[in-house]
Amino acid sequence: MACSTISYLWRDKSASQGFRSGVSLHSHTNQSKETLDFLANLGNQYPIIRPLLSRLESRSEAKHGVRVNYAESYWTPPMTPKLAFDLESQQIEKLDVAPMVSISDHDNIKAPMLLRTVPSARQIPVSVEWTAPYGEQSFHLGVHNLPSAKATEWMATLEEYTANPNDERMTEILAALHDEPNVLVIFNHPLWDLYLVGDDRHLFLVNQFLQKNGNYMHALELNGLRHWEENRRVRQLAEQWNMLLISGGDRHGVEPNANINLTNASCFTEFVHEVRREKKSDILFMPQYAEPWKHRLLQSTVDAIRYYPEFPQGSRSWDERVYHPDANGVVRPLSELW
């Protein structure tokens, strides 16, 4: 029987007492490529924005000879892997428990592989947020603690599926990941309609996906950047499917994850066994989650575009962190295209 407990630090200051470790799941670094498709979607959703985007698109083509291509463009979060690892670790240490951090950038494992060369982060698990197309939607699956010796091979498998999705192949991959005893597979923000297919259609696809693959998923994520109502509905979904809930902060800016897991495990693999075998998950929401959701989204946006003079070269200004094809189709930072 799945057993998930949820605590809120602003209500219970002693919530971490009696636990050995805190686990930060699902956060992003400057190795994560974040789509700019949302800008085009904004123009489609809000007619008042479309004329503004049209003017900017025309100016780009007239002044720089570059036609705006949202699908081929992307931005990267400001924090380097080491800065992100330290940020998450320090928040957990303030609770007087030992930190474990699992960074899961979009569709690549560069951050944990880089961090494994740093003594203080050598034990970090190899994790990724996998973009898994399903029908007219895409689901984001957190795949944590890939075996080091096979991590590159696993990434090739996941990338091949993303490029050529197939329902049967999806189930094969998830079953094979489940057969890896130390791997944790999480359905990240399961009720976020990423591709705007409509709430009813999205919920249908989620239930269909869980009917086919739920046996290979180890938990549903309560997301630290999604609003209260959506997370409440995720709790109902977990009850419906008798699934465990787990934390996932989804940090992209410089605010540490808004929720973590508490555990008595002494290493990440022990934590995986606690979730998978004991079906036990203790979630702690941090004080920042109590702030108004729209305010937090705005702050995260400001974090993404503001200037960081203390950061390494290439991560300081927003136009060093936004990438777009040049006139020849070569993807370059905007700072080189101006």
mmCIF file with all atom_site columns, all heavy atoms in Angstrom, residues 136-157:
data_model
loop_
_atom_site.group_PDB
_atom_site.id
_atom_site.type_symbol
_atom_site.label_atom_id
_atom_site.label_alt_id
_atom_site.label_comp_id
_atom_site.label_asym_id
_atom_site.label_entity_id
_atom_site.label_seq_id
_atom_site.pdbx_PDB_ins_code
_atom_site.Cartn_x
_atom_site.Cartn_y
_atom_site.Cartn_z
_atom_site.occupancy
_atom_site.B_iso_or_equiv
_atom_site.pdbx_formal_charge
_atom_site.auth_seq_id
_atom_site.auth_comp_id
_atom_site.auth_asym_id
_atom_site.auth_atom_id
_atom_site.pdbx_PDB_model_num
ATOM 1   N N   . GLU A 1 136 ? -0.850 13.199 -28.883 1.00 0.00 ? 136 GLU A N   1
ATOM 2   C CA  . GLU A 1 136 ? -0.583 14.598 -29.248 1.00 0.00 ? 136 GLU A CA  1
ATOM 3   C C   . GLU A 1 136 ? 0.007  15.389 -28.088 1.00 0.00 ? 136 GLU A C   1
ATOM 4   O O   . GLU A 1 136 ? 0.164  16.601 -28.162 1.00 0.00 ? 136 GLU A O   1
ATOM 5   C CB  . GLU A 1 136 ? -1.868 15.272 -29.744 1.00 0.00 ? 136 GLU A CB  1
ATOM 6   C CG  . GLU A 1 136 ? -2.994 15.345 -28.736 1.00 0.00 ? 136 GLU A CG  1
ATOM 7   C CD  . GLU A 1 136 ? -3.975 14.191 -28.821 1.00 0.00 ? 136 GLU A CD  1
ATOM 8   O OE1 . GLU A 1 136 ? -3.518 13.028 -28.889 1.00 0.00 ? 136 GLU A OE1 1
ATOM 9   O OE2 . GLU A 1 136 ? -5.191 14.439 -28.802 1.00 0.00 ? 136 GLU A OE2 1
ATOM 10  N N   . GLN A 1 137 ? 0.370  14.696 -27.013 1.00 0.00 ? 137 GLN A N   1
ATOM 11  C CA  . GLN A 1 137 ? 0.952  15.326 -25.831 1.00 0.00 ? 137 GLN A CA  1
ATOM 12  C C   . GLN A 1 137 ? 2.384  14.828 -25.649 1.00 0.00 ? 137 GLN A C   1
ATOM 13  O O   . GLN A 1 137 ? 2.823  13.891 -26.320 1.00 0.00 ? 137 GLN A O   1
ATOM 14  C CB  . GLN A 1 137 ? 0.095  14.964 -24.598 1.00 0.00 ? 137 GLN A CB  1
ATOM 15  C CG  . GLN A 1 137 ? 0.458  15.654 -23.295 1.00 0.00 ? 137 GLN A CG  1
ATOM 16  C CD  . GLN A 1 137 ? 0.348  17.150 -23.366 1.00 0.00 ? 137 GLN A CD  1
ATOM 17  O OE1 . GLN A 1 137 ? 1.282  17.807 -23.831 1.00 0.00 ? 137 GLN A OE1 1
ATOM 18  N NE2 . GLN A 1 137 ? -0.780 17.712 -22.917 1.00 0.00 ? 137 GLN A NE2 1
ATOM 19  N N   . SER A 1 138 ? 3.127  15.479 -24.786 1.00 0.00 ? 138 SER A N   1
ATOM 20  C CA  . SER A 1 138 ? 4.421  14.949 -24.342 1.00 0.00 ? 138 SER A CA  1
ATOM 21  C C   . SER A 1 138 ? 4.411  14.945 -22.821 1.00 0.00 ? 138 SER A C   1
ATOM 22  O O   . SER A 1 138 ? 3.974  15.919 -22.195 1.00 0.00 ? 138 SER A O   1
ATOM 23  C CB  . SER A 1 138 ? 5.590  15.803 -24.843 1.00 0.00 ? 138 SER A CB  1
ATOM 24  O OG  . SER A 1 138 ? 6.026  15.379 -26.112 1.00 0.00 ? 138 SER A OG  1
ATOM 25  N N   . PHE A 1 139 ? 4.882  13.853 -22.242 1.00 0.00 ? 139 PHE A N   1
ATOM 26  C CA  . PHE A 1 139 ? 5.008  13.752 -20.796 1.00 0.00 ? 139 PHE A CA  1
ATOM 27  C C   . PHE A 1 139 ? 6.475  13.900 -20.414 1.00 0.00 ? 139 PHE A C   1
ATOM 28  O O   . PHE A 1 139 ? 7.370  13.489 -21.167 1.00 0.00 ? 139 PHE A O   1
ATOM 29  C CB  . PHE A 1 139 ? 4.469  12.410 -20.306 1.00 0.00 ? 139 PHE A CB  1
ATOM 30  C CG  . PHE A 1 139 ? 3.001  12.209 -20.552 1.00 0.00 ? 139 PHE A CG  1
ATOM 31  C CD1 . PHE A 1 139 ? 2.510  10.973 -20.941 1.00 0.00 ? 139 PHE A CD1 1
ATOM 32  C CD2 . PHE A 1 139 ? 2.103  13.258 -20.407 1.00 0.00 ? 139 PHE A CD2 1
ATOM 33  C CE1 . PHE A 1 139 ? 1.154  10.784 -21.172 1.00 0.00 ? 139 PHE A CE1 1
ATOM 34  C CE2 . PHE A 1 139 ? 0.739  13.084 -20.632 1.00 0.00 ? 139 PHE A CE2 1
ATOM 35  C CZ  . PHE A 1 139 ? 0.267  11.841 -21.031 1.00 0.00 ? 139 PHE A CZ  1
ATOM 36  N N   . HIS A 1 140 ? 6.703  14.490 -19.255 1.00 0.00 ? 140 HIS A N   1
ATOM 37  C CA  . HIS A 1 140 ? 8.052  14.609 -18.721 1.00 0.00 ? 140 HIS A CA  1
ATOM 38  C C   . HIS A 1 140 ? 8.221  13.581 -17.608 1.00 0.00 ? 140 HIS A C   1
ATOM 39  O O   . HIS A 1 140 ? 7.493  13.610 -16.617 1.00 0.00 ? 140 HIS A O   1
ATOM 40  C CB  . HIS A 1 140 ? 8.300  16.025 -18.181 1.00 0.00 ? 140 HIS A CB  1
ATOM 41  C CG  . HIS A 1 140 ? 8.486  17.043 -19.252 1.00 0.00 ? 140 HIS A CG  1
ATOM 42  N ND1 . HIS A 1 140 ? 8.700  18.390 -19.003 1.00 0.00 ? 140 HIS A ND1 1
ATOM 43  C CD2 . HIS A 1 140 ? 8.499  16.918 -20.605 1.00 0.00 ? 140 HIS A CD2 1
ATOM 44  C CE1 . HIS A 1 140 ? 8.830  19.040 -20.146 1.00 0.00 ? 140 HIS A CE1 1
ATOM 45  N NE2 . HIS A 1 140 ? 8.713  18.175 -21.129 1.00 0.00 ? 140 HIS A NE2 1
ATOM 46  N N   . LEU A 1 141 ? 9.178  12.699 -17.796 1.00 0.00 ? 141 LEU A N   1
ATOM 47  C CA  . LEU A 1 141 ? 9.421  11.631 -16.836 1.00 0.00 ? 141 LEU A CA  1
ATOM 48  C C   . LEU A 1 141 ? 10.790 11.830 -16.196 1.00 0.00 ? 141 LEU A C   1
ATOM 49  O O   . LEU A 1 141 ? 11.807 11.952 -16.895 1.00 0.00 ? 141 LEU A O   1
ATOM 50  C CB  . LEU A 1 141 ? 9.357  10.270 -17.529 1.00 0.00 ? 141 LEU A CB  1
ATOM 51  C CG  . LEU A 1 141 ? 8.069  9.977  -18.319 1.00 0.00 ? 141 LEU A CG  1
ATOM 52  C CD1 . LEU A 1 141 ? 8.125  8.582  -18.925 1.00 0.00 ? 141 LEU A CD1 1
ATOM 53  C CD2 . LEU A 1 141 ? 6.836  10.131 -17.441 1.00 0.00 ? 141 LEU A CD2 1
ATOM 54  N N   . GLY A 1 142 ? 10.809 11.887 -14.874 1.00 0.00 ? 142 GLY A N   1
ATOM 55  C CA  . GLY A 1 142 ? 12.069 11.994 -14.157 1.00 0.00 ? 142 GLY A CA  1
ATOM 56  C C   . GLY A 1 142 ? 12.677 10.612 -13.999 1.00 0.00 ? 142 GLY A C   1
ATOM 57  O O   . GLY A 1 142 ? 12.079 9.731  -13.384 1.00 0.00 ? 142 GLY A O   1
ATOM 58  N N   . VAL A 1 143 ? 13.845 10.417 -14.579 1.00 0.00 ? 143 VAL A N   1
ATOM 59  C CA  . VAL A 1 143 ? 14.547 9.130  -14.494 1.00 0.00 ? 143 VAL A CA  1
ATOM 60  C C   . VAL A 1 143 ? 15.805 9.361  -13.665 1.00 0.00 ? 143 VAL A C   1
ATOM 61  O O   . VAL A 1 143 ? 16.754 10.018 -14.117 1.00 0.00 ? 143 VAL A O   1
ATOM 62  C CB  . VAL A 1 143 ? 14.905 8.592  -15.894 1.00 0.00 ? 143 VAL A CB  1
ATOM 63  C CG1 . VAL A 1 143 ? 15.576 7.224  -15.783 1.00 0.00 ? 143 VAL A CG1 1
ATOM 64  C CG2 . VAL A 1 143 ? 13.651 8.501  -16.770 1.00 0.00 ? 143 VAL A CG2 1
ATOM 65  N N   . HIS A 1 144 ? 15.802 8.846  -12.439 1.00 0.00 ? 144 HIS A N   1
ATOM 66  C CA  . HIS A 1 144 ? 16.863 9.138  -11.477 1.00 0.00 ? 144 HIS A CA  1
ATOM 67  C C   . HIS A 1 144 ? 17.719 7.914  -11.183 1.00 0.00 ? 144 HIS A C   1
ATOM 68  O O   . HIS A 1 144 ? 17.207 6.796  -11.106 1.00 0.00 ? 144 HIS A O   1
ATOM 69  C CB  . HIS A 1 144 ? 16.252 9.631  -10.153 1.00 0.00 ? 144 HIS A CB  1
ATOM 70  C CG  . HIS A 1 144 ? 15.447 10.886 -10.286 1.00 0.00 ? 144 HIS A CG  1
ATOM 71  N ND1 . HIS A 1 144 ? 15.980 12.144 -10.053 1.00 0.00 ? 144 HIS A ND1 1
ATOM 72  C CD2 . HIS A 1 144 ? 14.152 11.078 -10.656 1.00 0.00 ? 144 HIS A CD2 1
ATOM 73  C CE1 . HIS A 1 144 ? 15.033 13.056 -10.248 1.00 0.00 ? 144 HIS A CE1 1
ATOM 74  N NE2 . HIS A 1 144 ? 13.920 12.432 -10.614 1.00 0.00 ? 144 HIS A NE2 1
ATOM 75  N N   . ASN A 1 145 ? 19.025 8.166  -11.039 1.00 0.00 ? 145 ASN A N   1
ATOM 76  C CA  . ASN A 1 145 ? 19.980 7.147  -10.589 1.00 0.00 ? 145 ASN A CA  1
ATOM 77  C C   . ASN A 1 145 ? 20.236 6.073  -11.647 1.00 0.00 ? 145 ASN A C   1
ATOM 78  O O   . ASN A 1 145 ? 20.301 4.875  -11.349 1.00 0.00 ? 145 ASN A O   1
ATOM 79  C CB  . ASN A 1 145 ? 19.492 6.498  -9.285  1.00 0.00 ? 145 ASN A CB  1
ATOM 80  C CG  . ASN A 1 145 ? 20.639 5.955  -8.442  1.00 0.00 ? 145 ASN A CG  1
ATOM 81  O OD1 . ASN A 1 145 ? 21.737 6.497  -8.439  1.00 0.00 ? 145 ASN A OD1 1
ATOM 82  N ND2 . ASN A 1 145 ? 20.374 4.879  -7.713  1.00 0.00 ? 145 ASN A ND2 1
ATOM 83  N N   . LEU A 1 146 ? 20.414 6.504  -12.888 1.00 0.00 ? 146 LEU A N   1
ATOM 84  C CA  . LEU A 1 146 ? 20.808 5.577  -13.940 1.00 0.00 ? 146 LEU A CA  1
ATOM 85  C C   . LEU A 1 146 ? 22.151 4.939  -13.590 1.00 0.00 ? 146 LEU A C   1
ATOM 86  O O   . LEU A 1 146 ? 23.027 5.605  -13.015 1.00 0.00 ? 146 LEU A O   1
ATOM 87  C CB  . LEU A 1 146 ? 20.931 6.309  -15.280 1.00 0.00 ? 146 LEU A CB  1
ATOM 88  C CG  . LEU A 1 146 ? 19.630 6.725  -15.967 1.00 0.00 ? 146 LEU A CG  1
ATOM 89  C CD1 . LEU A 1 146 ? 19.916 7.713  -17.092 1.00 0.00 ? 146 LEU A CD1 1
ATOM 90  C CD2 . LEU A 1 146 ? 18.881 5.509  -16.499 1.00 0.00 ? 146 LEU A CD2 1
ATOM 91  N N   . PRO A 1 147 ? 22.334 3.657  -13.915 1.00 0.00 ? 147 PRO A N   1
ATOM 92  C CA  . PRO A 1 147 ? 23.641 3.030  -13.643 1.00 0.00 ? 147 PRO A CA  1
ATOM 93  C C   . PRO A 1 147 ? 24.737 3.723  -14.446 1.00 0.00 ? 147 PRO A C   1
ATOM 94  O O   . PRO A 1 147 ? 24.598 3.907  -15.665 1.00 0.00 ? 147 PRO A O   1
ATOM 95  C CB  . PRO A 1 147 ? 23.435 1.580  -14.084 1.00 0.00 ? 147 PRO A CB  1
ATOM 96  C CG  . PRO A 1 147 ? 22.238 1.591  -14.976 1.00 0.00 ? 147 PRO A CG  1
ATOM 97  C CD  . PRO A 1 147 ? 21.381 2.736  -14.535 1.00 0.00 ? 147 PRO A CD  1
ATOM 98  N N   . SER A 1 148 ? 25.808 4.104  -13.781 1.00 0.00 ? 148 SER A N   1
ATOM 99  C CA  . SER A 1 148 ? 26.869 4.899  -14.423 1.00 0.00 ? 148 SER A CA  1
ATOM 100 C C   . SER A 1 148 ? 27.401 4.235  -15.689 1.00 0.00 ? 148 SER A C   1
ATOM 101 O O   . SER A 1 148 ? 27.612 4.894  -16.710 1.00 0.00 ? 148 SER A O   1
ATOM 102 C CB  . SER A 1 148 ? 28.019 5.133  -13.445 1.00 0.00 ? 148 SER A CB  1
ATOM 103 O OG  . SER A 1 148 ? 27.560 5.805  -12.301 1.00 0.00 ? 148 SER A OG  1
ATOM 104 N N   . ALA A 1 149 ? 27.616 2.940  -15.628 1.00 0.00 ? 149 ALA A N   1
ATOM 105 C CA  . ALA A 1 149 ? 28.244 2.245  -16.756 1.00 0.00 ? 149 ALA A CA  1
ATOM 106 C C   . ALA A 1 149 ? 27.352 2.215  -17.986 1.00 0.00 ? 149 ALA A C   1
ATOM 107 O O   . ALA A 1 149 ? 27.834 2.065  -19.113 1.00 0.00 ? 149 ALA A O   1
ATOM 108 C CB  . ALA A 1 149 ? 28.611 0.819  -16.343 1.00 0.00 ? 149 ALA A CB  1
ATOM 109 N N   . LYS A 1 150 ? 26.037 2.365  -17.779 1.00 0.00 ? 150 LYS A N   1
ATOM 110 C CA  . LYS A 1 150 ? 25.100 2.281  -18.904 1.00 0.00 ? 150 LYS A CA  1
ATOM 111 C C   . LYS A 1 150 ? 24.353 3.585  -19.158 1.00 0.00 ? 150 LYS A C   1
ATOM 112 O O   . LYS A 1 150 ? 23.413 3.606  -19.957 1.00 0.00 ? 150 LYS A O   1
ATOM 113 C CB  . LYS A 1 150 ? 24.091 1.159  -18.646 1.00 0.00 ? 150 LYS A CB  1
ATOM 114 C CG  . LYS A 1 150 ? 24.700 -0.229 -18.575 1.00 0.00 ? 150 LYS A CG  1
ATOM 115 C CD  . LYS A 1 150 ? 23.645 -1.321 -18.668 1.00 0.00 ? 150 LYS A CD  1
ATOM 116 C CE  . LYS A 1 150 ? 22.843 -1.437 -17.401 1.00 0.00 ? 150 LYS A CE  1
ATOM 117 N NZ  . LYS A 1 150 ? 21.873 -2.550 -17.438 1.00 0.00 ? 150 LYS A NZ  1
ATOM 118 N N   . ALA A 1 151 ? 24.761 4.662  -18.493 1.00 0.00 ? 151 ALA A N   1
ATOM 119 C CA  . ALA A 1 151 ? 24.006 5.913  -18.594 1.00 0.00 ? 151 ALA A CA  1
ATOM 120 C C   . ALA A 1 151 ? 23.979 6.450  -20.023 1.00 0.00 ? 151 ALA A C   1
ATOM 121 O O   . ALA A 1 151 ? 22.922 6.870  -20.525 1.00 0.00 ? 151 ALA A O   1
ATOM 122 C CB  . ALA A 1 151 ? 24.595 6.948  -17.645 1.00 0.00 ? 151 ALA A CB  1
ATOM 123 N N   . THR A 1 152 ? 25.126 6.429  -20.700 1.00 0.00 ? 152 THR A N   1
ATOM 124 C CA  . THR A 1 152 ? 25.189 6.932  -22.076 1.00 0.00 ? 152 THR A CA  1
ATOM 125 C C   . THR A 1 152 ? 24.332 6.081  -23.000 1.00 0.00 ? 152 THR A C   1
ATOM 126 O O   . THR A 1 152 ? 23.618 6.595  -23.876 1.00 0.00 ? 152 THR A O   1
ATOM 127 C CB  . THR A 1 152 ? 26.644 6.958  -22.576 1.00 0.00 ? 152 THR A CB  1
ATOM 128 O OG1 . THR A 1 152 ? 27.425 7.786  -21.700 1.00 0.00 ? 152 THR A OG1 1
ATOM 129 C CG2 . THR A 1 152 ? 26.734 7.520  -23.986 1.00 0.00 ? 152 THR A CG2 1
ATOM 130 N N   . GLU A 1 153 ? 24.377 4.775  -22.794 1.00 0.00 ? 153 GLU A N   1
ATOM 131 C CA  . GLU A 1 153 ? 23.550 3.859  -23.590 1.00 0.00 ? 153 GLU A CA  1
ATOM 132 C C   . GLU A 1 153 ? 22.065 4.116  -23.353 1.00 0.00 ? 153 GLU A C   1
ATOM 133 O O   . GLU A 1 153 ? 21.270 4.139  -24.298 1.00 0.00 ? 153 GLU A O   1
ATOM 134 C CB  . GLU A 1 153 ? 23.908 2.427  -23.206 1.00 0.00 ? 153 GLU A CB  1
ATOM 135 C CG  . GLU A 1 153 ? 23.142 1.355  -23.940 1.00 0.00 ? 153 GLU A CG  1
ATOM 136 C CD  . GLU A 1 153 ? 23.493 -0.032 -23.429 1.00 0.00 ? 153 GLU A CD  1
ATOM 137 O OE1 . GLU A 1 153 ? 24.588 -0.205 -22.853 1.00 0.00 ? 153 GLU A OE1 1
ATOM 138 O OE2 . GLU A 1 153 ? 22.662 -0.945 -23.599 1.00 0.00 ? 153 GLU A OE2 1
ATOM 139 N N   . TRP A 1 154 ? 21.704 4.356  -22.089 1.00 0.00 ? 154 TRP A N   1
ATOM 140 C CA  . TRP A 1 154 ? 20.305 4.650  -21.775 1.00 0.00 ? 154 TRP A CA  1
ATOM 141 C C   . TRP A 1 154 ? 19.861 5.953  -22.436 1.00 0.00 ? 154 TRP A C   1
ATOM 142 O O   . TRP A 1 154 ? 18.748 6.058  -22.947 1.00 0.00 ? 154 TRP A O   1
ATOM 143 C CB  . TRP A 1 154 ? 20.103 4.729  -20.264 1.00 0.00 ? 154 TRP A CB  1
ATOM 144 C CG  . TRP A 1 154 ? 19.652 3.432  -19.663 1.00 0.00 ? 154 TRP A CG  1
ATOM 145 C CD1 . TRP A 1 154 ? 20.309 2.640  -18.772 1.00 0.00 ? 154 TRP A CD1 1
ATOM 146 C CD2 . TRP A 1 154 ? 18.418 2.764  -19.932 1.00 0.00 ? 154 TRP A CD2 1
ATOM 147 N NE1 . TRP A 1 154 ? 19.576 1.529  -18.465 1.00 0.00 ? 154 TRP A NE1 1
ATOM 148 C CE2 . TRP A 1 154 ? 18.399 1.585  -19.167 1.00 0.00 ? 154 TRP A CE2 1
ATOM 149 C CE3 . TRP A 1 154 ? 17.318 3.057  -20.741 1.00 0.00 ? 154 TRP A CE3 1
ATOM 150 C CZ2 . TRP A 1 154 ? 17.332 0.692  -19.186 1.00 0.00 ? 154 TRP A CZ2 1
ATOM 151 C CZ3 . TRP A 1 154 ? 16.252 2.173  -20.777 1.00 0.00 ? 154 TRP A CZ3 1
ATOM 152 C CH2 . TRP A 1 154 ? 16.266 1.006  -20.003 1.00 0.00 ? 154 TRP A CH2 1
ATOM 153 N N   . MET A 1 155 ? 20.726 6.956  -22.420 1.00 0.00 ? 155 MET A N   1
ATOM 154 C CA  . MET A 1 155 ? 20.359 8.232  -23.030 1.00 0.00 ? 155 MET A CA  1
ATOM 155 C C   . MET A 1 155 ? 20.115 8.074  -24.527 1.00 0.00 ? 155 MET A C   1
ATOM 156 O O   . MET A 1 155 ? 19.201 8.687  -25.085 1.00 0.00 ? 155 MET A O   1
ATOM 157 C CB  . MET A 1 155 ? 21.448 9.279  -22.774 1.00 0.00 ? 155 MET A CB  1
ATOM 158 C CG  . MET A 1 155 ? 21.491 9.799  -21.346 1.00 0.00 ? 155 MET A CG  1
ATOM 159 S SD  . MET A 1 155 ? 19.882 10.412 -20.758 1.00 0.00 ? 155 MET A SD  1
ATOM 160 C CE  . MET A 1 155 ? 19.511 11.664 -21.986 1.00 0.00 ? 155 MET A CE  1
ATOM 161 N N   . ALA A 1 156 ? 20.908 7.252  -25.185 1.00 0.00 ? 156 ALA A N   1
ATOM 162 C CA  . ALA A 1 156 ? 20.697 7.010  -26.617 1.00 0.00 ? 156 ALA A CA  1
ATOM 163 C C   . ALA A 1 156 ? 19.338 6.361  -26.849 1.00 0.00 ? 156 ALA A C   1
ATOM 164 O O   . ALA A 1 156 ? 18.623 6.698  -27.811 1.00 0.00 ? 156 ALA A O   1
ATOM 165 C CB  . ALA A 1 156 ? 21.815 6.127  -27.163 1.00 0.00 ? 156 ALA A CB  1
ATOM 166 N N   . THR A 1 157 ? 18.936 5.464  -25.956 1.00 0.00 ? 157 THR A N   1
ATOM 167 C CA  . THR A 1 157 ? 17.639 4.806  -26.066 1.00 0.00 ? 157 THR A CA  1
ATOM 168 C C   . THR A 1 157 ? 16.500 5.810  -25.901 1.00 0.00 ? 157 THR A C   1
ATOM 169 O O   . THR A 1 157 ? 15.529 5.811  -26.675 1.00 0.00 ? 157 THR A O   1
ATOM 170 C CB  . THR A 1 157 ? 17.517 3.700  -24.998 1.00 0.00 ? 157 THR A CB  1
ATOM 171 O OG1 . THR A 1 157 ? 18.529 2.708  -25.232 1.00 0.00 ? 157 THR A OG1 1
ATOM 172 C CG2 . THR A 1 157 ? 16.139 3.050  -25.024 1.00 0.00 ? 157 THR A CG2 1
#
